[in-house]
């Protein structure tokens, strides 16, 4: 064998990860109950117990969103998947969307919203600059959009 087994050098993968307080926009610390649940045996997606868990989850989601819509379902995905699901559910073709662009996510929003409506308008600032309340109010008054999108913290 040309490549030596690196296990003696990378054995740390078998150790417990260090405890960290995660405060960034990415992964967050999970509650200990979540970690405990993740250590339980897996259940197949067609198992009757899994189906009951999904039904219970749907009931809880309907309560959270205060809806009686039977098609309220959990969707496994990234934050971007949730973002796109929200746009898809809020938009009908022809709806006007206002996008406030001042960074990378504003550019992404412009592209993403454009997939759901042909009427997307934007206001722009240099990356990292902040929109004033007056600028936002003026754009809302001028364009009267059904949806307005602005990023709380963008990437320059």
């Amino acid at each position: 064998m040309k490549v030596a087994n690196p296990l003696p050098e990378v054995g740390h993968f078998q150790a417990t990860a260090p405890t960290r307080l995660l405060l960034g926009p990415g992964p967050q610390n999970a509650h200990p109950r979540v970690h405990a649940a993740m250590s339980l045996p897996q259940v197949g997606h067609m198992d009757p117990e899994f189906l009951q868990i999904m039904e219970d989850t749907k009931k809880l989601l309907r309560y959270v969103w205060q809806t009686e819509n039977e098609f309220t379902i959990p969707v496994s995905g990234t934050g971007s998947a949730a973002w796109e699901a929200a746009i898809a559910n809020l938009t009908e073709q022809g709806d006007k969307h206002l996008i406030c662009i001042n960074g990378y996510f504003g550019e992404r929003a412009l592209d993403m919203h454009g997939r759901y409506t042909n009427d997307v308008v934007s206001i722009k600032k240099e990356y990292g600059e902040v929109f004033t309340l007056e600028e936002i109010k003026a754009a809302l008054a001028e364009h009267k959009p059904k949806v307005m999108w602005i990023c709380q913290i963008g990437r320059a």
Side-chain angles (χ1 to χ4, degrees), residues 50-64:
F50 176 85
L51 298 175
Q52 184 57 54
I53 291 168
M54 288 302 287
E55 288 305 314
D56 291 345
T57 301
K58 290 163 51 177
K59 286 178 188 172
L60 291 167
L61 286 172
R62 285 193 288 275
Y63 170 74
V64 167

Side-chain angles (χ1 to χ4, degrees), residues 9-148:
E9 298 172 36
V10 297
H12 66 274
F13 285 119
Q14 298 170 353
T16 301
T19 301
R20 303 275 192 251
L21 177 59
L22 303 175
L23 297 173
Q28 299 294 313
N29 295 96
H31 191 278
R33 290 187 314 183
V34 173
H35 288 288
M38 290 173 62
S39 70
L40 297 173
Q42 292 181 334
V43 178
H45 71 283
M46 297 302 287
D47 187 290
E49 183 64 25
F50 176 85
L51 298 175
Q52 184 57 54
I53 291 168
M54 288 302 287
E55 288 305 314
D56 291 345
T57 301
K58 290 163 51 177
K59 286 178 188 172
L60 291 167
L61 286 172
R62 285 193 288 275
Y63 170 74
V64 167
W65 296 110
Q66 291 296 292
T67 182
E68 294 178 6
N69 185 334
E70 290 295 315
F71 194 66
T72 303
I73 59 171
V75 177
S76 177
T78 63
S80 293
W83 177 11
E84 188 144 5
I87 298 166
N89 281 283
L90 290 172
T91 307
E92 295 179 17
Q93 189 65 323
D95 286 348
K96 184 180 279 192
H97 287 211
L98 170 64
I99 311 299
C100 303
I101 303 172
N102 64 342
Y104 170 77
F105 287 110
E107 300 289 347
R108 280 189 61 197
L110 188 66
D111 175 60
M112 195 181 298
H113 287 247
R115 293 183 212 143
Y116 294 93
T117 181
N118 58 357
D119 195 358
V120 180
V121 295
S122 64
I123 57 175
K124 294 184 179 186
K125 292 278 226 180
E126 291 296 318
Y127 273 30
E129 289 187 18
V130 178
F131 289 97
T132 65
L133 182 57
E134 291 74 26
E135 290 169 323
I136 295 168
K137 284 181 178 180
L140 289 170
E142 177 183 350
H143 299 292
K144 297 177 179 43
K146 178 178 179 188
V147 174
M148 185 199 90

